Amino acid sequence: MDTRSLVWWQWWNVAVVLYLWVWVPMCLSQATPSPQQQGEKLKFRLAGYPRKHNEGRVEIFYKGEWGTICDDDFTLENARVLCRQMGFVGATGWRHSAKYGPGTGKIWLDNVQCSGTEKSIEFCQSRGWGNSDCTHDEDAGVICKDERLPGFIESNIIEMQVDENRLEEIRLRPLLDGTAKRLPITEGIVEVKYKEGWAQICDVGWTSKNSRVICGMMGFPSEKKTKKNLYKQIKMRATKTKPKVIGSSATRMLGDRGQVNYRIHSVACTGNEVHLSVCSMEFSKANVSVPCQGGRPVVVSCVAGPQFSQISGKKPKIKQVTVRLKGGWKVGEGRVEVLKNNEWGTVCDDRWNLQSASVVCRELGFGTAKEALTGARMGQGLGPIHMNEVLCSGQEKSLWNCPFKNITSENCHHLEDASVKCNVPYIGFEKTINITGGRTRFEGRVELLNPDANGTEGWGLICGEGWTTREAMVVCRQLGLGYANGALKETWYWDSSNVTDVVMSGVKCAGDEMRISDCQHHKSVSCKKAGTRFAAGVICSETASDLILHAPLVEQTVYIEDRPLHMLYCAAEEDCLSKSAAKANWPYGHRRLLRFSSQIHNIGRADFRPKAGRHSWVWHECHRHYHSMDIFTHYDLLSINGTKVADGHKASFCLEDTDCHEGISKRYECANFGEQGITVGCWDQYRHDIDCQWIDITDVKPGNYILQVVINPNFEVAESDFTNNAMKCNCKYDGHRVWLHKCHLGDSFSEEAEKKFEKYPGQLNNQIS
């Protein structure tokens, strides 16, 4: 080979090497096509066993199928991206070689390489979706930092996998035509979705345990024996029922033996399953001459929970409540709280699963749990954490009957509060109400389905007079649209339908009603401002803030100050003193002030923002600041019988993030006409030495009182829970000094303990136990 050929050959080798060096890695690590561009939303979950709630095998739901990630080239940066997508603040490690057990289905991603800053794993480099040379023995797992992202709302953390693919939908079909109109349906033939229609289950070998699972799925806490004459009703109806076509074969949906379309037989549940798909079962085989020999279609009867029995006209049984749900946006969901020593506290989410969650749901009169949520997904609680590592079998009558561990403040925090989503019966309340004219499905003018004098149902409006956030909360819940973000008394700009008659007025709700018709309202319509212009409207939201006062700080910082009048001119101008101050000999003399610090935390899932925009804020020249809300907090001193003897108030200056939990950045600051608000996971602190942070008690006589502080008293700003906005303390004032004790949020004690608190006889000495 001559010199020229040798040089050419060497350059060719170099070119090939460079080409392979550049091109091959690009092929193996190409940019992952974004499912978002295809209009598909990814879902993520942690699976496997044994594990804690913040670790596990990573599973991705893509193209209608759950799959895993291969551990080839996996890094801590990959884990960080995945943990953030599942609602954790970051990752502390990862595991290879199916540490949490091998998964099933597709291996969606392989050779994933993230920088750690990506918003989603789909934006990292990989071989592409579904392109892998791995087996499930190489499934990757992650260990996330045990702290949740504030306000995270995606339902991605599921403790137990339920395979519902085999049974897409199950229903109870009422036996008689008339019963279908009476909701909820508690009794009927069990039917499963099959092809273009519905099919039945053979009752040979059917047990009450199977019925318990069906009832749980339908939203009922328990089953009951089916009446024997039900089969006679089926037979009588079958003789009058014409054949119905399912697929290509004509079969009767109800009828004698062999004349129905059986899909399943030989079902064997333990009774603790959350879905029929988890039970052992056999599917009926085609071309069988007698598919259910000696049997009939399964009929199940369920017992409705107290709140749903009441709808049917039956009085609910009253029993002592030791478990409750807080902070949820729908009936049957929320943060789990339990009662111990007359004080409500939360449950730590370590080992929290669907079995334990189902015990909670059934105890509260719902069905089984759809989801067992971890990481304070329904907001953080306040006060004690009573239980940890709860391990129910599913048969327990109460969560307190399950094995659990007591916890200490070192091994569990409110960032780990457990919550649930329960199956609830279908009651059809959303069909009796509607909102129209809004820019999105979350807003509009409220229209109510209402029967007239002749019994004919028609749509009508609700009078906007007196319409508040609490009434709007009920409407949003009834529609399944979450929390109320706004309550509108005028909706002329949403006049988009021909509905003009006002059919309800004077509506007053507590805020926890299941439907607007359960609220107080006028027997006959009385609306001074009639017409569509003044009809009630709502703006709903999937998230809301939740403000609570840190009660111990009030108790620790209270004191009395005699402040000279010449230092109170600005306070008097902003109406922060009692009425008798106007008759004082200004600038001589003083006022006696009950002072304390208040720290307001936002534990919800959305920032707390003033209702009014900047253009509506009021400038106060004396203190040289803006008020974004006229009244942000009420301070009241009450006598033992509840009579107000002195009061104070705090406007929303300065509504800002004083401090935040670790990892959360401040967003609001009042300085230089900045934005006002409180970020999720942050708090605003008004120190005791700020003007108007007091109650003027100059005219109050020595004695025993109750100090009450109420945040957002006029419900101007939406919150997920208004019951925790008030704080109360026992107060003793001897004319020279003041003592507070038993400071607590209004809903943190049991009813019995709260009654004793209200009958407070007075502190007998200065020693506070």
Side-chain angles (χ1 to χ4, degrees), residues 4 8 84 193 208 218 231 339 421 545 559 615 637 655 678 720 732 743:
R4 188 165 48 186
W8 180 87
R84 284 200 303 271
K193 191 79 172 178
S208 60
M218 297 295 107
Y231 287 110
L339 187 65
K421 289 184 178 181
S545 60
Y559 65 98
H615 63 282
L637 195 64
L655 202 60
I678 306 176
S720 59
K732 178 181 175 64
C743 291

Side-chain angles (χ1 to χ4, degrees), residues 106-126:
K106 293 271 191 181
I107 298 177
W108 280 124
L109 293 173
D110 189 9
N111 297 107
V112 181
Q113 296 178 4
C114 303
S115 67
T117 60
E118 293 86 353
K119 291 184 178 180
S120 172
I121 196 74
E122 63 191 278
F123 301 125
C124 300
Q125 301 291 317
S126 78

Side-chain angles (χ1 to χ4, degrees), residues 61-76:
F61 189 76
Y62 177 59
K63 289 191 177 298
E65 185 177 354
W66 285 102
T68 61
I69 299 178
C70 182
D71 60 12
D72 290 351
D73 295 332
F74 207 87
T75 64
L76 184 61

